[in-house]
Amino acid sequence: HVHRPLFVTLGKKDGIVRVWNYVSRRCEIRWETQDKKDLPISGALHPFGFFLVLTFGEKLRFFYVLAKGLKLHSEFSIR
């Protein structure tokens, strides 16, 4: 299995999602939602580093973690 040395952080005030490489200690991806009223609340990165789920006030979004950014895979309402 291919394992990418990544972890994710979310800015509490600005909602910016950052994907970090813990080996190189660099931010590899910076992502922010277009809707500033619905910021991400939490996030979880798959152990292999290829998938990310973000929770918002009323939805879950699943993303592919690509080399240069995040690509939305699917979105689900949770209300």
Side-chain angles (χ1 to χ4, degrees):
H1 298 282
V2 175
H3 175 78
R4 297 167 72 187
L6 303 177
F7 68 94
V8 65
T9 62
L10 289 93
K12 184 176 181 177
K13 293 185 180 185
D14 59 11
I16 295 175
V17 177
R18 289 182 174 88
V19 179
W20 297 87
N21 181 314
Y22 60 78
V23 172
S24 67
R25 298 181 180 183
R26 295 185 60 127
C27 177
E28 294 195 353
I29 298 170
R30 181 185 183 279
W31 180 88
E32 58 186 298
T33 182
Q34 301 299 326
D35 183 1
K36 298 300 180 191
K37 295 180 182 177
D38 192 21
L39 300 177
I41 298 168
S42 65
L45 189 64
H46 186 276
F48 293 149
F50 293 99
F51 308 101
L52 171 69
V53 63
L54 296 175
T55 61
F56 294 80
E58 297 185 2
K59 60 190 163 209
L60 289 173
R61 287 184 179 167
F62 291 86
F63 293 89
Y64 295 113
V65 180
L66 306 176
K68 300 288 183 182
L70 301 178
K71 180 180 178 186
L72 184 63
H73 169 65
S74 57
E75 183 176 299
F76 299 94
S77 175
I78 54 175
R79 296 245 178 201

